[in-house]
Every structure is written in structure tokens, then in C-alpha cells.
Amino acid sequence: MTKEKVILQVDLSAGRTWTEPISKELEAAFLGSRGINAKLLWDLVRPGTDPLGPENVLIFGAGKLSGTGAPSSGRTTITCKSPATGLYLKANSGGHWGTELRYAGYDHVVVRGAAAQPVYIYIEDGLVEIRSAAHLWGKDVRETTRILREELGEEIEVACIGQAGENLVRMAGVMCSIYNTAARGGAGAVMGSKKLKAIAVKGSGEIALKDPATYWKVVQECVKGLLADSGASGLHAYGTSGSVLPLNELRGFAVDNWRRGSHPNLEKISGQTLADKYLKRKVGCNSCILGCHRYTELDHGKYAGSYSGGPELETLGALGCGCGVYEWEYILKGNELCNIYGMDTISVGNVIAWAMECYERGVLTKKDTGGLELTWGNGEVVVEMVRQIAFRQGLGNLLAEGVRRAAQQVGQDSWKWAIEVKGLEQSRVDTRKAMAYALAFAVNPRGADHLHTETFAEFGLSPEARAIIKDITGDEKYANPYSTDKRAEIVRWHEDCYAVTDCLGFCAFTTTALFGVTPDRMARLFAAATGLEMSEEEIMKAGRRIMNLEKAFNVREGAARQDDTAPWRLLNEPAPDLPEGATVLSQEKLDEMLDAYYILHNWDLKTSWPKRETLVELGLDEVARELEAMGKLPG
């Protein structure tokens, strides 16, 4: 049975559900998943809404091509107002949940209101029920998924929260297919505030393609392009953690709470060492041909028997070298706990590293830590703090608020070593050594993070990366992370491409790390799937439309140029291992790049707000009118 594309609306306060069709106009303008999510968020959430109040909405959007067999196309975007930043949030997850949602006949699920008691949503094709989750509340992610599969069948796909989401931890994620997480920005806390434990879904429908012959032809082009990419074999062999050593050589992998960008011990926690000692099997998300995910177990030691998906590159940095920890047993155990409690390893590791520096400086004492020695390299304390954060116990109750709020409460200049932008803890790239990343992290509407604008190509580590930089800038010499030249062009291209990637449900590794799924191929796939003709230029313009809408959401919430920045430490403390001749990131250098970026976008230089003509040219007339009525439209 072929299902029509619809949005499933769920009002937990009223206890009712209904569906709405996705118009061709909405699909053409915003493509799907992240794009349509952003439009729904703009329409449904009013300025000043409490992110943890019932007026916030939680929107799940399956990739437009999820379930169609395009390589690595099964991802899901979750959108809401972030409890970490108070601004726009999109978080993205792999696994199989989004594909199952599309088989059930829905492209999006919009969750409104809040239940009085714990509930879960059960979806099976046309059947949608809001059921009691009293027996699931308090359970971890693994146990919740196991119970639901025993009750509903092994084929069920589950998106759920663990105890961290229930306890409104501002770094709680939504876990899909057990080990895949929409991690960043606190979407799990929004789910917990609604007393929504899980969404369990299974479907039996088919996904129609308007032009199957053309679609499968382009799919084969994508497959060949990905398998021919020089980075494909390494990604399969070592996963994302295979980048630990190359980034260490570039002195761009932050350690010890961003005091430096390299360390001689990083080989101990590299992807190569992980594969040799702890890897049990490689795992792929829906329709993935690369299999970059890891599944690991500890066979010996204090935590023998621990197992989980991952750890990824970011986790090794956050729970490992960011805290001075180079022993696998603590990193793997901390990763397992984050996964089963449902937390973002990046934010968790960062806030623990901040607390360790506070302890070292005497800003936090044993009285504050409950007697724990928060010393660098103390892996047992890292594991214990993961648990305390999830359950808001002891010092963990403070750290569960995120590093910005924690620093505001602790004071004593601790904000200077709080590594965040807009309230989101920074992901692991040392942006003193990578200027495109520095710019991308500053302007990212959700905060300092790579999974919105992945500019890995600026390092020029492969022929394909250098070719992309040449296509963007006209010369591959700009594949130089220490240069500020052409960073605006590099960031904007990656922004547009990444937005399209999320909309269609592709993994970003296929479009902005490997380059087999090009914008041209995405445009042709979209056209063949939907019947809506789209050129490469038009689909990239749709990506830009989505980026401008996300920016406008933040403008409506009060954000301006001063929020597009970098952490104090990275602007004011040059790394001791900065390569000779490299650009030192400073406010002046960042301002130069921001000016170039705003000019390229046709945004106002003083405020960073999009201009009327920019929004109108992108078809965002209603957005322009609302911002104008609020006095937030320049010119």
C-alpha cells in the first residue's frame, strides 16, 4: 500500500491526533525533514516560549528519501526550541526509525502540549494511539526499547529518552534505534518536559517514486562516487575515530579543555587502537554502504561486560583527552552510560572538563564536589560525573544545566574557560587552527557545532576535498585551515549543502566529508522522487532559504551579531602548539570573516539580521513582515 505524504499532529495536552497533507508548495520550498521542520517551528512557536513549557513543539522529520534505498539516506531530524540555548535547534539521528515512520505513512510528527502522566505514542500505519508509559518511566534507553519490543513486536522501531531526558538535563538527547542519537541542544529534555517517553513505530506501506528509472540511475552514480572516494575505506575501517591521529598531526583536536590542540598520548585512544582491541563489529544505519558506526565491548577490568555503540571521534575527545583521560575502560564506560541514560557526549565531556579546570584553580572545592577529586585524568570521576549529571545528583545537578549556566552560577571568571557559543558546548575541533570552522561555529544558529556546517574540506586532506575547495573558491590553495581568505564562501557553500543533506535524509559523510552525493545528484534524486523539477542551483537555494529561516527564528528570539562569536579562550589564549606561521584567531580576525560572511548573505553588518530584499528574494515574505512588525528588519 502506498501512503500519501502527511504530517502527523499529536496534542498531548488534549490527548488527540490528526493528520495534515504536505502541499507541493511546502515541499518545493523547504524540501522535507529539516526544512519543513524549520517552517513548522516558525509557525507554531511564538517568541519567548519556554523551551521546557507545553507551548514548545517537538518535531520529528524523516528524510525525504528515507526508505527509498539511496545510499546512507535514512536519517531523521528533530527540531524544537532548545533548552540549552533558548534558540533554534535541529538535532539529527541515524538508525532506522525515520525509515519506519515513512513506511507507516508519515514524513513528520509534530508533538504539541504536555501529558499529565508519562505516555508513549504508538504508530502502526493508520493506527495512532497515546498510551501510558508508567511502566517505562525511570527506565534507561536499552530497557525501554526491550520492553516495547516485547510488547509490540521485534520489528518495532523506537525513539525514546532515558533518565536524563526525564530529569530535564539540558544536554539530554533523543535515542533512535538504541544507539543513534539526536544529541545536541537538549531535545531529550523537551521530550521529558512533555512526559513523552517514546514514539514506537512500524509500517507496512511503500514509498512511491515519480520516476523510478531515473532515480535508480542516479543512485548508482552516488554509490560509485562514494566507493571511489579516497576516504571511504578508512571511514569503514576505523569509523570517525580514524580522524584522531590526522587531527592531532594538524594540532586541531582539542585536549585538556581546549588548552592545546594536540597530545602525544592520542595514539592510545585512536580509531586504529579501538579497532585492534575493543571493536566487536561495524554497524551501518539504514541503507548505508559505508558502515562507519562501531559496536564495542569491554572484556576485562572493572567495567567488564560494558557494551555500546561507538564511541565516535567526538566522544573520544570529550570524555577522553578533553578530561585528560587516555584509558579506554573509562571512555567506553562513560560512552555506554551516556547512551543508555540518553545524553550528548560532547556537552557532557565539556562540562566535566570545565569543572576539572575549576577544581584545579580552586573555584570548585571538595565541598562542592561531594569529596570527589576532579583532577585531570581521573577516569573514575568522569564515569561518576556522567551518572550524577543524568540523575541531577550532587555536582551533577549544576553541570546538568550546561557549561554557560554553570559558569554563571559559579562565577570567578570561570566563564573564560567555559567553551561554548550561544550556550551550546563546542564540538572538538580546535578552531584556533581551522578558520572556516571558527566562522561556521560562530554563525551556527544552534551554537558551536560541526553538524550544521561541516567544513572538513578546508583541511585539504584528500584530492576530493581540494577539488571541492577549488570549485567553491576558484583555487585549491584555499584548502588551508590557517587562512582567513575565502572562509565566507567555504562556509556558505557547506551550509547550503548540509541543509539539503539533512532535508533529504543523507548522512553528511556522503556530501561534506566524502563527496559522492553531490548537490547535482541530490537535485536529480529529489526531482525523480517527487516529480518536482529541481536544478543544482535551485536545490542549493532551497538550502539557503532554510538557513535564512533558521537565522530569522533566532532574530525573533533576540539574537544579534554579538551572539555570533567564539569562546573567550579561543579568541584570547593562543594555543601553545599553534603551528609556526598560522593565523592566530582573534576578535579582529573573526570580525573580518563575519563581515565577509554577512555581505555574502546580504545581511546587515551591524546586527547580522537578514535584510528585507534577502528574505523576499528567497520567498520568505511572511517572515520579513513578521520581523518588520517586531522592529527586527534592518533598513
Side-chain angles (χ1 to χ4, degrees):
M1 178 173 56
T2 301
K3 304 280 189 176
E4 293 298 322
K5 289 173 281 192
V6 299
I7 299 167
L8 173 61
Q9 301 275 0
V10 180
D11 187 334
L12 294 178
S13 296
R16 72 185 189 97
T17 69
W18 69 98
T19 61
E20 297 174 357
I22 298 174
S23 69
K24 287 295 183 183
E25 293 76 17
L26 184 64
E27 193 173 36
F30 298 101
L31 307 181
S33 193
R34 171 178 159 186
I36 292 178
N37 279 14
K39 181 62 166 64
L40 292 168
L41 188 74
W42 173 271
D43 291 342
L44 296 174
V45 174
R46 293 295 86 203
T49 292
D50 179 0
L52 296 177
E55 293 80 16
N56 197 7
V57 296
L58 189 66
I59 308 168
F60 294 73
K64 180 61 64 177
L65 304 183
S66 292
T68 65
S72 304
S73 64
R75 299 189 69 86
T76 301
T77 295
I78 300 176
T79 308
C80 60
K81 186 177 181 181
S82 168
T85 68
L87 299 171
Y88 165 84
L89 175 64
K90 74 93 181 175
N92 192 268
S93 174
H96 303 267
W97 188 89
T99 293
E100 200 68 29
L101 183 71
R102 293 207 73 208
Y103 290 156
Y106 310 99
D107 278 32
H108 303 263
V109 180
V110 179
V111 183
R112 308 162 182 248
Q117 300 296 328
V119 297
Y120 76 92
I121 300 168
Y122 177 60
I123 303 169
E124 184 178 358
D125 295 329
L127 172 68
V128 181
E129 295 180 344
I130 301 171
R131 298 181 174 183
S132 172
H135 62 308
L136 302 173
W137 205 253
K139 300 288 194 298
D140 67 34
V141 168
R142 249 187 230 150
E143 187 72 357
T144 297
T145 304
R146 182 190 64 79
I147 292 171
L148 286 173
R149 286 179 173 170
E150 287 179 352
E151 293 178 357
L152 305 173
E154 285 298 319
E155 70 276 17
I156 203 81
E157 286 294 334
V158 177
C160 68
I161 56 173
Q163 295 94 329
E166 295 176 3
N167 293 323
L168 308 186
V169 173
R170 293 182 190 269
M171 55 198 73
V174 179
M175 304 298 295
C176 300
S177 309
I178 303 179
Y179 298 125
N180 298 272
T181 177
R184 309 238 62 200
V190 175
M191 197 162 166
S193 74
K194 296 181 177 299
K195 288 290 191 293
L196 177 61
K197 181 64 175 179
I199 303 179
V201 58
K202 60 181 174 181
S204 61
E206 299 175 355
I207 298 170
L209 300 171
K210 289 294 184 181
D211 184 354
T214 299
Y215 190 84
W216 288 110
K217 178 183 177 182
V218 183
V219 163
Q220 290 305 309
E221 290 180 30
C222 294
V223 170
K224 290 176 182 178
L226 288 171
L227 295 180
D229 193 287
S230 60
S233 61
L235 186 61
H236 175 69
Y238 303 116
T240 58
S241 57
S243 295
V244 168
L245 295 183
L247 286 172
N248 192 46
E249 291 177 11
L250 289 165
R251 303 172 196 175
F253 194 57
V255 303
D256 297 339
N257 198 34
W258 267 265
R259 286 172 163 170
R260 56 192 297 121
S262 62
H263 197 282
N265 285 341
L266 274 173
E267 187 172 356
K268 293 182 179 180
I269 58 170
S270 68
Q272 290 79 357
T273 303
L274 179 69
D276 289 342
K277 294 187 176 182
Y278 301 100
L279 180 66
K280 297 302 180 181
R281 64 177 181 268
K282 300 165 186 174
V283 181
C285 298
N286 184 77
S287 74
C288 180
I289 63 171
L290 298 170
C292 78
H293 281 309
R294 316 286 92 177
Y295 175 83
T296 53
E297 292 183 18
L298 280 168
D299 296 324
H300 307 287
K302 180 178 180 179
Y303 301 117
S306 296
Y307 63 94
S308 195
E312 303 294 335
L313 169 76
E314 292 287 339
T315 304
L316 295 177
L319 299 178
C321 61
C323 296
V325 174
Y326 296 90
E327 290 77 35
W328 278 106
E329 61 179 330
Y330 303 117
I331 298 172
L332 293 178
K333 184 62 180 179
N335 177 63
E336 178 192 39
L337 293 182
C338 283
N339 281 340
I340 66 174
Y341 296 151
M343 289 194 294
D344 173 18
T345 59
I346 297 174
S347 289
V348 168
N350 279 13
V351 76
I352 293 173
W354 169 84
M356 286 180 161
E357 186 162 347
C358 288
Y359 187 81
E360 178 187 51
R361 292 172 179 263
V363 175
L364 291 175
T365 67
K366 278 190 176 182
K367 181 180 178 181
D368 303 302
T369 68
L372 293 176
E373 296 273 3
L374 259 68
T375 52
W376 298 108
N378 191 335
E380 289 189 2
V381 163
V382 169
V383 172
E384 172 60 16
M385 289 314 305
V386 170
R387 189 192 66 79
Q388 287 193 16
I389 292 169
F391 290 93
R392 285 188 172 270
Q393 296 174 349
L395 181 64
N397 189 45
L398 172 67
L399 303 189
E401 290 294 295
V403 74
R404 173 179 281 192
R405 288 179 176 82
Q408 288 170 344
Q409 291 188 47
V410 168
Q412 301 186 54
D413 282 344
S414 65
W415 63 273
K416 290 184 176 180
W417 57 89
I419 311 301
E420 53 83 17
V421 175
K422 299 182 176 74
L424 185 72
E425 293 76 13
Q426 180 160 317
S427 54
R428 194 54 27 186
V429 177
D430 187 340
T431 46
R432 290 169 292 199
K433 327 289 181 57
M435 295 300 107
Y437 274 105
L439 175 59
F441 284 17
V443 300
N444 187 334
R446 76 175 187 177
D449 175 77
H450 63 300
L451 293 177
H452 202 279
T453 311
E454 177 70 89
T455 58
F456 195 68
E458 77 163 324
F459 289 112
L461 294 178
S462 70
E464 295 86 359
R466 293 189 291 275
I468 286 291
I469 296 299
K470 183 177 180 180
D471 286 345
I472 297 168
T473 67
D475 196 322
E476 69 174 40
K477 73 178 182 180
Y478 296 112
N480 174 6
Y482 308 121
S483 171
T484 58
D485 292 338
K486 301 291 185 181
R487 298 308 105 171
E489 288 84 354
I490 292 169
V491 168
R492 191 176 80 162
W493 184 92
H494 282 86
E495 283 177 343
D496 297 347
C497 184
Y498 211 122
V500 177
T501 299
D502 282 343
C503 288
L504 302 192
F506 280 110
C507 172
F509 291 150
T510 68
T511 62
T512 60
L514 309 180
F515 303 98
V517 182
T518 63
D520 169 67
R521 288 169 180 162
M522 286 194 286
R524 288 188 284 137
L525 285 170
F526 180 82
T530 65
L532 296 168
E533 289 301 320
M534 191 80 67
S535 68
E536 177 178 351
E537 292 75 19
E538 288 168 335
I539 207 165
M540 290 289 273
K541 184 177 180 179
R544 193 166 307 145
R545 179 180 301 115
I546 293 159
M547 278 294 303
N548 274 263
L549 179 59
E550 293 165 344
K551 172 71 172 180
F553 184 92
N554 285 357
V555 170
R556 194 171 65 174
E557 292 292 340
R561 178 167 179 148
Q562 67 268 18
D563 298 293
D564 290 350
T565 187
W568 186 92
R569 166 164 286 168
L570 305 189
L571 286 173
N572 294 279
E573 296 180 3
D577 54 353
L578 194 70
E580 185 177 351
T583 298
V584 177
L585 185 64
S586 64
Q587 189 63 58
E588 181 182 5
K589 291 292 185 184
L590 181 59
D591 281 338
E592 289 176 5
M593 293 191 290
L594 286 171
D595 284 350
Y597 174 87
Y598 296 149
I599 290 169
L600 192 61
H601 267 293
N602 196 27
W603 294 353
D604 181 66
L605 284 175
K606 182 179 179 180
T607 62
S608 84
W609 297 346
K611 297 178 181 178
R612 178 199 303 278
E613 59 263 33
T614 303
L615 296 173
V616 170
E617 194 274 332
L618 290 169
L620 298 173
D621 305 57
E622 293 181 7
V623 173
R625 285 193 290 271
E626 185 170 345
L627 291 181
E628 183 176 32
M630 298 178 71
K632 293 185 176 181
L633 198 65

